[in-house]
Each structure stands twice: as structure tokens, then as C-alpha cells.
Amino acid sequence: MPPETELRVKQEVSEHRLPASLQMLRNEHAELACVLRAMKRMLDRGPDDEPERFFDLLRAMLFYIDELPEKLHHPKESDFLFPQLLRVAPQLFPDVEKLEKEHVRGDALVRSLQHNLIAWEMMGEPRRAAFNEAAYEYIAYYQAHMQHEESVIFPAAARLLRAEDWKRIDAAFGLGYATLPGKPPTQNGYERLYFKIMAGAAAEPHRPEQTAQSLA
């Protein structure tokens, strides 16, 4: 997408209220962004004199970023948003193909991180550098992934999909997870886990308007 077109799309999106399902995806990005940001702060700080708390919290973070995207977030994109968008904007196929490959690779990266964290906890300091290097790489990787979706895919969807398209997507998202403005937290456990993680990391929970682009 040419820069001038992307800028115009962003301006158009900012002037209109986003469809509920698109706002749901952005809210999930925001929560994932907060967890990634908290993880980076923890890695920068290290375990200090509270290794048990440190490793417990990192395990919870890795569980969250493994479960939420794979089970709830990515299926919404892959099964509903992307197909609808490609129907009206086939020129975005290279972007969608890249994002789908990143979904698969991201899952494998998180599983590797979980293994490396156990290795560090069980085997001690010699395994710390390997985990930290992989974790920083993953954080940057997923930041870039979310920013790609929010700067290219989401604005295009908001501009090109029709009201009846959004009705179908909204209906499909009806059983999904997100903290939509004005709605109470869902009871599937992810919302509670998110706030538990953020409280444990001594970080403020995200505001609804935060997006992946605030990670920079």
C-alpha cells in the first residue's frame, strides 16, 4: 500500500467509529502489548532476590501469550476477518499470507520460550542468556506483527468492508473474548489472568484506547 494511501486510510478510520469486532481485535492487541511490555521490564530487571515470584510470573505471561492468540485471537482473524477482506481486496493476499505464517511461527516460538524458561529455572544462570535473547526476539517479533495488522489490515478492513460484512463478522465474534468498552469482563478466565499478571508485574492495566503501536 503506497504511503499516501495508508495515511488517507488511517485518517478515514480515525474519523469513524470502528466496527465492534475490529475494536475487539484492537483491544486484544492492547492487552497482549501490555503483557509483552511488562515481560520486557521484568527481563531488564532480572529476578533479583525474588526468583520464585519472578519465574512464576514469567510462566503466567508465557501461558497467556500462548493461549490467548492461539485459541481466541488468531482464529478470529484467520477464519473470519481475513477471508472477508481478501474477498474485496485480493491485492492484500501477500500481507495476509505473511501474517498467517507468523501466526504459526509465533506459536512455535512461545513453546520454545517455555522450555528455555524451565531450563533457566532448573539449570541456573548458564541458561539465562539463551532465554533472554529468545524472549527479546519474540517481543520484537510480535510487536511488528501487531503493528502490521493495525497499520495495513485493520484500516483496509474498516474502509472496504460493508455493513453486512461486519454484521457477519460481529456475529461470529459474539462468543469470543475481549474487553469491549461498556461490557463487563468475560468469565472465561483470561481477563482474570490478565489483571493478575499486570498486578504481579506492578504495571497499570491498559486503557481501551491503547494499541500495539504504543509499544515503541
Side-chain angles (χ1 to χ4, degrees), residues 31 64 177 179 185-199:
E31 294 192 358
Y64 183 89
Y177 156 79
T179 311
T186 59
Q187 299 301 313
N188 60 20
Y190 290 102
E191 183 76 9
R192 292 189 296 275
L193 177 59
Y194 167 74
F195 282 106
K196 181 178 180 180
I197 288 170
M198 299 311 292

Side-chain angles (χ1 to χ4, degrees), residues 70-83:
E70 182 67 19
K71 293 183 182 296
L72 293 169
H73 182 74
H74 293 163
K76 293 176 189 154
E77 295 173 335
S78 299
D79 297 343
F80 302 106
L81 180 65
F82 291 169

Side-chain angles (χ1 to χ4, degrees), residues 30-43:
E31 294 192 358
L32 284 163
C34 283
V35 173
L36 291 174
R37 202 160 44 238
M39 180 183 293
K40 185 177 184 300
R41 284 195 298 268
M42 287 187 63
L43 295 177

Side-chain angles (χ1 to χ4, degrees), residues 50-70:
E50 296 183 293
E52 183 175 352
R53 175 182 173 277
F54 177 84
F55 286 111
D56 284 348
L57 191 52
L58 275 182
R59 273 195 299 272
M61 289 176 170
L62 290 178
F63 177 80
Y64 183 89
I65 63 177
D66 179 34
E67 286 260 326
L68 179 65
E70 182 67 19

Side-chain angles (χ1 to χ4, degrees), residues 146-164:
M146 291 191 292
Q147 288 172 346
H148 187 178
E149 291 179 337
E150 296 216 9
S151 64
V152 177
I153 299 298
F154 292 0
R159 181 171 62 92
L160 298 172
L161 293 180
R162 300 167 300 178
E164 54 265 35

Side-chain angles (χ1 to χ4, degrees), residues 2-183:
E4 63 273 13
T5 303
E6 182 177 329
L7 177 60
R8 178 168 55 83
V9 169
K10 288 181 178 178
Q11 289 172 340
E12 289 175 4
V13 171
S14 67
E15 292 171 359
H16 296 84
R17 188 174 184 274
L18 291 176
S21 48
L22 195 55
Q23 185 63 56
M24 179 181 286
L25 292 173
R26 294 182 80 245
N27 287 346
E28 290 172 356
H29 276 186
E31 294 192 358
L32 284 163
C34 283
V35 173
L36 291 174
R37 202 160 44 238
M39 180 183 293
K40 185 177 184 300
R41 284 195 298 268
M42 287 187 63
L43 295 177
D44 292 342
R45 187 169 61 245
D48 294 329
D49 57 350
E50 296 183 293
E52 183 175 352
R53 175 182 173 277
F54 177 84
F55 286 111
D56 284 348
L57 191 52
L58 275 182
R59 273 195 299 272
M61 289 176 170
L62 290 178
F63 177 80
Y64 183 89
I65 63 177
D66 179 34
E67 286 260 326
L68 179 65
E70 182 67 19
K71 293 183 182 296
L72 293 169
H73 182 74
H74 293 163
K76 293 176 189 154
E77 295 173 335
S78 299
D79 297 343
F80 302 106
L81 180 65
F82 291 169
Q84 290 287 343
L85 181 57
L86 289 177
R87 180 178 54 81
V88 298
Q91 69 274 16
L92 290 176
F93 178 80
D95 293 279
V96 170
E97 183 179 41
K98 180 177 185 292
L99 292 167
E100 291 283 31
K101 289 179 179 178
E102 289 175 353
H103 286 175
V104 175
R105 180 168 181 252
D107 183 48
L109 289 175
V110 174
R111 300 299 169 85
S112 178
L113 279 174
Q114 291 170 328
H115 173 82
N116 286 337
L117 181 65
I118 294 173
W120 178 12
E121 185 176 14
M122 296 294 104
M123 306 300 292
E125 194 66 18
R127 298 293 188 97
R128 176 176 182 170
F131 175 82
N132 280 356
E133 181 179 353
Y136 285 127
E137 179 183 346
Y138 175 82
I139 291 169
Y141 175 83
Y142 207 79
Q143 287 175 359
H145 174 83
M146 291 191 292
Q147 288 172 346
H148 187 178
E149 291 179 337
E150 296 216 9
S151 64
V152 177
I153 299 298
F154 292 0
R159 181 171 62 92
L160 298 172
L161 293 180
R162 300 167 300 178
E164 54 265 35
D165 298 323
W166 288 116
K167 285 181 181 179
R168 286 193 292 270
I169 296 172
D170 289 349
F173 282 21
L175 298 178
Y177 156 79
T179 311
L180 287 174
K183 285 195 173 184

